[in-house]
Amino acid sequence: MTIKLDDGLDARPIALLVQEASQYTSQVYIEIDNKKINAKSIMGMMSLKLAGGEKLMVVTDGVDEGEAAQGIEAFFANR
């Protein structure tokens, strides 16, 4: 996925992303530049400092992984 926000993700969008990821039982990770961060961790996500136009990978694992992947994809698509 590519981050479509011109300014990247600051505190508010990251908080919303963490809320989205936390709705799912599955593990949800964001991978970028050899870093794998738990998308349910506000501190971990803040440490990424995601910029607009950056490419990232969403990795989900668990009973609702498909739904989780779709939810995170929709989050980025609607930003």
Side-chain angles (χ1 to χ4, degrees):
M1 293 179 202
T2 302
I3 298 173
K4 295 182 180 180
L5 297 171
D6 292 336
D7 297 334
L9 289 179
D10 59 15
R12 178 154 169 69
I14 286 177
L16 295 173
L17 175 59
V18 169
Q19 284 180 344
E20 178 67 32
S22 296
Q23 295 180 44
Y24 307 103
T25 303
S26 295
Q27 302 278 334
V28 181
Y29 293 98
I30 303 294
E31 290 185 357
I32 186 168
D33 296 332
N34 299 322
K35 295 178 190 171
K36 184 176 181 179
I37 303 294
N38 181 349
K40 297 179 183 182
S41 166
I42 189 83
M43 296 304 289
M45 292 302 299
M46 293 291 286
S47 73
L48 282 180
K49 299 181 181 171
L50 297 171
E54 268 190 283
K55 294 186 185 289
L56 56 85
M57 181 180 295
V58 177
V59 179
T60 58
D61 183 35
V63 295
D64 59 352
E65 62 189 26
E67 186 180 340
Q70 289 176 346
I72 300 300
E73 183 177 359
F75 173 86
F76 282 111
N78 293 326
R79 296 283 158 220

